[in-house]
Amino acid sequence: MRASILMGAIAATVIGSAVADVDPIHIKGNKFFYKNGTEFFIKGVAYQEDTTNSTSTSTFTDPLADEAGCKRDVPLLKELGTNTIRVYAIDTKADHDPCMKLLQDAGIYVVSDLSEPSLSINRDEPSWDDKLYARYTGVVDVLQGYNNVLGFFAGNEVSNNASNTDASPFVKAAVRDVKAYIKAKNYRTIPVGYATNDDSDIRLNLAKYFNCGDEADTIDFWGYNIYSWCGDSSYTKSGYDERTKEFETYSKPAFFAEYGCNEVTRKFTEVQAIYGDQMTPVWSGGIVYMYFEEANNYGLVKASGNSVSKLADFDTLKKQVAKASPSSISESAYTATNTALEKCPATATSWQAATNLPPSPNQKLCSCMQKSLSCVAKSTVKDKDTAELFSYICGDSKTDCKGIKANGTSGVYGAYSMCNANERLSWAMDAYYNSQNKASDACDFTGKGQTQSASTTSSECSSLIKEAGGVAGTGVVTSAPQSSGSSTSTGGASGVVVPGFNFGALKIGAAMVAAVLGGGALVMF
């Protein structure tokens, strides 16, 4: 177990250097390549066990921290012909060296989601705040030193239908900020992407949206969770032909981030299509869902302790992967012709995502703001109480909360909308307190608020708050955020439903409270 995130990052760098015989994968145009110029096709398996049979109190099990499990499973993954695994959540305090070494020795790369169940962007009440930023950059810190880290997913099926596309600006902001963080820390270039579902109403707009605008804000690769090939389907019946046509001019690598329909007996005949001549000019392979057998019956194996037994799907997939022989092009012979970014989709009934993105989380600014207030929320305020307080202050009392609101449809964001929920609640309490002329009981909030002496701000704080438009939060902060990452959450109320409320055209309360909960449940099939 690492003593600190800093030491963890150093250790990861050391072990990554120690096994440098595995070269990082890099991107050119819409393709992945090995260092020697050979094209890389993902032959992947989703690899994360749920906690149903675990005695741990954790909300997830980190597969990269389970040395015994890796020793048990890596040989089987290799037998399958796997060269990539996808993991959905890691513990940033855990030791990943043994598993990453085993995977590297087997020539297996890792694509990791940046979120975890209690810290992710909630599609229903989206936010991108300093707590989530610390989580996402913390994962980067821990994994960046391993050469076999292929990339990171900044989101998985966050906007999954036309009713919640307003969450996409928050995910795109996460892509932007994680890419900027990797660059600012002088880490090797590790791509950051997004994994979408296959919703016919929004799938094209999603792909365009995440690859439009400024290059610095766009995804580096596109993952597609698609389950349309069931049983003995075909290239045309499954719609693979249409999806391939849609992506033939896409400028970034695209691959199936999840596939493997189990509505009927799985034959995995889609493998021959995915790695066949019709698809490999456009797609860079795919990731089968999933290694472990769970209640949803997608497993390739059934694992229990140190023992593991192969299921029928294991051998079926193994045979299909063994037959796959994708036609490739060498990097030296490849010229990227699809270089143009997409045109951002216009706002419409089925598309409510603004091109203007939320501000970058800046913990220093939020801390400075909170210290400058005369009335603040106690750190012990519970989730339910937080929701009620927001509802009263920004709703019933008609306090102007525009400094902390965020609207992914209009693209209007208060300067402090990226602060965490307690910091935003403090801002709201202080705004109410001042609107009541600092009456003696106006900061009580039934014992949940308290007055404090506003601290004399440092020159750094003064500058940041000035950028933010003062305490009112009506400005635009351009200073880069400062973060060294964060450990995995040890608490949180993942999946708890919190009330939303409206005043005027603004939906405020639940969006803020969602930050307390860390963004809702991690989407896993």
Side-chain angles (χ1 to χ4, degrees):
M1 192 72 73
R2 292 184 174 90
S4 67
I5 294 302
L6 176 60
M7 290 304 295
I10 293 172
T13 302
V14 171
I15 193 70
S17 299
V19 287
D21 54 306
V22 177
D23 292 320
I25 302 298
H26 64 275
I27 290 172
K28 179 181 178 181
N30 70 339
K31 296 183 180 296
F32 293 109
F33 290 96
Y34 288 101
K35 185 179 180 179
N36 67 5
T38 301
E39 187 175 357
F40 178 82
F41 291 97
I42 293 172
K43 295 182 179 179
V45 174
Y47 183 72
Q48 185 128 15
E49 196 169 12
D50 71 17
T51 59
T52 302
N53 299 317
S54 173
T55 57
S56 170
T57 57
S58 174
T59 56
F60 66 93
T61 300
D62 180 353
L64 301 183
D66 180 5
E67 183 177 0
C70 288
K71 287 180 177 177
R72 177 194 65 201
D73 297 330
V74 168
L76 292 177
L77 289 166
K78 190 173 182 179
E79 182 182 339
L80 279 169
T82 303
N83 65 12
T84 305
I85 61 170
R86 178 182 178 183
V87 297
Y88 294 83
I90 70 156
D91 179 354
T92 56
K93 291 183 177 180
D95 182 6
H96 302 101
D97 293 348
C99 279
M100 293 303 289
K101 178 65 165 61
L102 286 165
L103 290 164
Q104 288 192 97
D105 289 347
I108 297 175
Y109 291 81
V110 175
V111 182
S112 175
D113 288 45
L114 294 171
S115 62
E116 55 118 315
S118 63
L119 287 171
S120 61
I121 297 172
N122 186 322
R123 68 170 66 95
D124 297 317
E125 302 293 348
S127 65
W128 173 237
D129 62 25
D130 54 5
K131 192 173 182 181
L132 290 174
Y133 178 82
R135 160 65 194 183
Y136 285 31
T137 56
V139 174
V140 171
D141 287 338
V142 169
L143 294 182
Q144 57 81 27
Y146 300 108
N147 279 1
N148 62 331
V149 171
L150 175 61
F152 299 112
F153 281 120
N156 182 62
E157 301 188 3
V158 180
S159 292
N160 65 353
N161 61 58
S163 72
N164 51 39
T165 56
D166 62 324
S168 285
F170 298 89
V171 184
K172 192 171 180 180
V175 171
R176 172 200 66 199
D177 293 340
V178 172
K179 288 174 61 174
Y181 180 81
I182 291 171
K183 184 176 181 179
K185 296 286 284 187
N186 291 317
Y187 294 152
R188 71 173 173 89
T189 301
I190 306 175
V192 180
Y194 178 76
T196 182
N197 70 320
D198 186 30
D199 185 273
S200 60
D201 292 331
I202 64 172
R203 61 191 174 204
L204 286 179
N205 278 339
L206 276 170
K208 292 177 181 178
Y209 181 77
F210 278 90
N211 197 31
C212 76
D214 294 334
E215 177 66 42
D217 301 344
T218 64
I219 46 92
D220 297 316
F221 59 80
W222 189 248
Y224 200 169
N225 300 341
I226 181 168
Y227 291 82
S228 61
W229 187 304
C230 298
D232 257 333
S233 189
S234 70
Y235 182 61
T236 53
K237 186 188 299 184
S238 65
Y240 278 22
D241 59 334
E242 295 177 8
R243 304 293 81 77
T244 300
K245 180 71 174 176
E246 291 162 357
F247 277 85
E248 65 182 4
T249 61
Y250 206 63
S251 66
K252 305 294 173 61
F255 60 90
F256 288 0
E258 290 177 2
Y259 75 91
C261 168
N262 71 347
E263 292 179 9
V264 296
T265 300
R266 298 209 286 186
K267 298 184 178 181
F268 291 114
T269 49
E270 66 264 48
V271 169
Q272 303 313 311
I274 293 170
Y275 301 101
D277 291 344
Q278 291 175 299
M279 294 184 67
T280 51
V282 175
W283 302 97
S284 294
I287 299 172
V288 171
Y289 191 87
M290 83 106 52
Y291 184 77
F292 295 101
E293 176 72 345
E294 311 287 2
N296 56 18
N297 297 317
Y298 278 94
L300 302 175
V301 305
K302 187 172 184 61
S304 178
N306 292 324
S307 66
V308 61
S309 56
K310 299 174 185 177
L311 300 178
D313 285 352
F314 183 98
D315 288 323
T316 303
L317 177 64
K318 176 183 172 181
K319 292 174 183 176
Q320 291 290 349
V321 172
K323 290 192 297 182
S325 182
S327 298
S328 62
I329 186 171
S330 67
E331 185 174 5
S332 61
Y334 169 66
T335 300
T337 56
N338 306 334
T339 57
L341 296 179
E342 304 290 325
K343 181 180 178 181
C344 292
T347 302
T349 303
S350 61
W351 187 257
Q352 295 290 313
T355 55
N356 189 40
L357 304 181
S360 299
N362 191 312
Q363 200 281 325
K364 181 65 176 178
L365 169 60
C366 296
S367 177
C368 289
M369 175 273 289
Q370 193 168 34
K371 290 176 182 177
S372 73
L373 306 176
S374 298
C375 174
V376 297
K378 292 181 178 178
S379 61
T380 55
V381 177
K382 304 295 184 183
D383 300 338
K384 177 178 180 294
D385 296 328
T386 300
E388 292 174 352
L389 287 164
F390 275 129
S391 181
Y392 173 72
I393 297 170
C394 297
D396 297 343
S397 78
K398 294 181 170 57
T399 300
D400 185 355
C401 288
K402 62 177 174 288
I404 53 173
K405 78 174 181 71
N407 189 312
T409 298
S410 67
V412 176
Y413 312 96
Y416 301 115
S417 64
M418 51 73 192
C419 298
N420 67 46
N422 186 267
E423 292 162 342
R424 283 180 283 181
L425 181 57
S426 293
W427 185 98
M429 285 182 169
D430 189 72
Y432 176 84
Y433 182 56
N434 284 297
S435 74
Q436 302 300 309
N437 298 314
K438 298 186 177 182
S440 59
D441 61 347
C443 186
D444 182 68
F445 298 102
T446 61
K448 298 173 183 65
Q450 61 187 4
T451 58
Q452 67 175 17
S453 297
S455 63
T456 303
T457 56
S458 65
S459 59
E460 182 182 15
C461 280
S462 296
S463 177
L464 286 170
I465 290 177
K466 183 178 180 180
E467 280 188 53
V471 175
T474 55
V476 177
V477 178
T478 58
S479 296
Q482 299 175 356
S483 173
S484 59
S486 173
S487 62
T488 296
S489 171
T490 55
S494 175
V496 175
V497 177
V498 296
F501 57 90
N502 294 276
F503 65 98
L506 305 177
K507 189 173 184 181
I508 297 290
M512 299 172 186
V513 179
V516 174
L517 308 182
L522 178 72
V523 179
M524 293 179 67
F525 283 76

